[in-house]
Amino acid sequence: MTGDMTADIDRLRRLLGNSEIAWLRARVRRRLERGRPLTGSITLAHATAEQRRAVELLLGRRVGTGASISVRLAEVDRILRDSGACPDGLAAAVELLDGPVRDRVRERAENAAAWRAAFAPLDAAVRGRAELDGWRAWLDSTGLVRRLTAGPEEAAGVLCRLAAVVERLPSSGIPLGRLAAETCGDAHALDEGSALATLALSAARALAGLPHTGEGTAEARRAAWAAVGVHLDELSSVVLSLGLPGDDHTPLGRLLGTARTAGEPLVLTLRQLHRHRGPLPAPGLVRLCENPVVIAAAADDLGPACPPLVCVSGRPSTAVWRLLELLEAGGAEFAYHGDFDWGGIAIAAAVRERVGWRPWRYDAPSYLAALATVSGGPLTGRPRPAPWDPELTAAMAERGVRVDEELVLSGLLADLRG
């Protein structure tokens, strides 16, 4: 500015600093913040008499008699410069009267750059993993990370740890606390309730082929982690079996032997399976079912004569995976049966990818034969591929009928007797 600073400020306040013309300063400030030029006109609808007099004092002329006032910004800028009230013009005048103008364009660019930097470790962790593409896009579309964190600075730390967790999934079987300690340096980092735990659980669900959000129950959380080989503790992860052979020289072998002799189902914990050293010798074929009702019916019907049978109990827990690995290492082969619905197909495909099996009354001919004798419910959900028999997916999609495992128990029991 030029001339006497005090006199300039006083003149500026008389022309542009009163409350009746604050609306004009506010409009100019918004334009400056958005990086827009101070050209054209601005209009105030329904102006009061005081607001009209303030504008007339600024412009030195009448502004009409209508309800609204229009002011050309170039004219205001010229008046401020020529009068000496603010030789640097309108933009400088607004800053002198109301403080510095924020550069919102620059702030937005810096904020976007900060968020890109925050997500960079996670983007590197998911790059090339097609199974996580949808999940990564979902994080952006829902704004979940932005809602769970206070800003890009906090998010950067969360996403860096999340990337380390994602790189370790799926796991071959690890406690959640150990996973947290090894990836985040804190055994409680993945405890329920934190932003990191919420995001990591959604990643686990995505890897397991589940919806990215699910039921908030402890059981749903446990199942989602188990689907990617992570267990919350060694005692809550269990597997149900019947008729598995045992031995006399290991604790697990003696348990299995006692249960087989008694013809009773046996619930094994992940702790017991983890402490077993070496494979579990299994004679030939081990049949797998999806639902505990098959185990119960087989125990009632065959007792000690039941051949080896393992229940995956829906989506397999870490204990199920561990038992199947021990049996496979011992030379077992597997035959699988499950529900004829899309969830059952997905579970069967996951088991087949992990250990391999041949169908046990679980193909298109078996499905069509079941429809001839039982009445199933409506088949809902999205069709899933059945790699062991593509015709099964086609038949189920065409018929649209769900057949639960319980409805074909008689055929399964007949095979077990044979």
Side-chain angles (χ1 to χ4, degrees), residues 141-268:
S141 65
T142 60
L144 180 61
V145 177
R146 296 172 186 254
R147 287 189 280 112
L148 291 175
T149 58
E153 184 175 351
E154 179 184 337
V158 172
L159 292 170
C160 186
R161 293 190 292 274
L162 178 63
V165 173
V166 169
E167 287 175 345
R168 290 285 298 273
L169 299 177
S171 169
S172 60
I174 186 172
L176 183 66
R178 180 178 168 189
L179 175 66
E182 293 180 358
T183 56
C184 308
D186 178 2
H188 298 286
L190 295 174
D191 287 356
E192 186 178 9
S194 70
L196 177 60
T198 299
L199 294 167
L201 181 60
S202 71
R205 295 181 65 83
L207 285 168
L210 298 169
H212 302 149
T213 57
E215 297 178 14
T217 63
E219 183 56 37
R221 178 170 170 263
R222 181 180 294 112
W225 279 118
V228 291
V230 179
H231 55 274
L232 273 60
D233 61 75
E234 290 186 316
L235 297 179
S236 62
S237 183
V238 298
V239 56
L240 181 62
S241 68
L242 177 65
L244 291 180
D247 58 52
D248 294 327
H249 55 274
T250 65
L252 180 59
R254 288 191 287 272
L255 278 174
L256 291 170
T258 299
R260 185 181 191 186
T261 299
E264 288 296 330
L266 179 63
V267 176
L268 297 171

Side-chain angles (χ1 to χ4, degrees), residues 162 248 291 318 328 336:
L162 178 63
D248 294 327
N291 298 285
T318 306
E328 185 179 40
Y336 188 93

Side-chain angles (χ1 to χ4, degrees), residues 58-88:
L58 171 64
L59 300 180
R61 61 176 177 82
R62 296 289 302 275
V63 292
T65 58
S68 63
I69 305 173
S70 287
V71 179
R72 289 186 295 109
L73 296 179
E75 182 181 4
V76 176
D77 184 79
R78 178 185 57 77
I79 290 171
L80 294 175
R81 292 177 188 274
D82 292 349
S83 68
C86 187
D88 291 326

Side-chain angles (χ1 to χ4, degrees), residues 15 48 78 85 108 122 127 153 162 164 209 215 222 233 380 412 416:
L15 291 174
T48 66
R78 178 185 57 77
R108 284 195 297 269
L122 182 62
R127 190 172 295 121
E153 184 175 351
L162 178 63
E215 297 178 14
R222 181 180 294 112
D233 61 75
T380 60
L412 301 179
L416 293 173

Side-chain angles (χ1 to χ4, degrees), residues 111-157:
N111 189 59
W115 276 110
R116 285 194 298 271
F119 271 99
L122 182 62
D123 288 334
V126 304
R127 190 172 295 121
R129 301 180 67 179
E131 68 274 20
L132 287 173
D133 287 347
W135 171 73
R136 178 62 185 87
W138 174 79
L139 289 181
D140 284 341
S141 65
T142 60
L144 180 61
V145 177
R146 296 172 186 254
R147 287 189 280 112
L148 291 175
T149 58
E153 184 175 351
E154 179 184 337

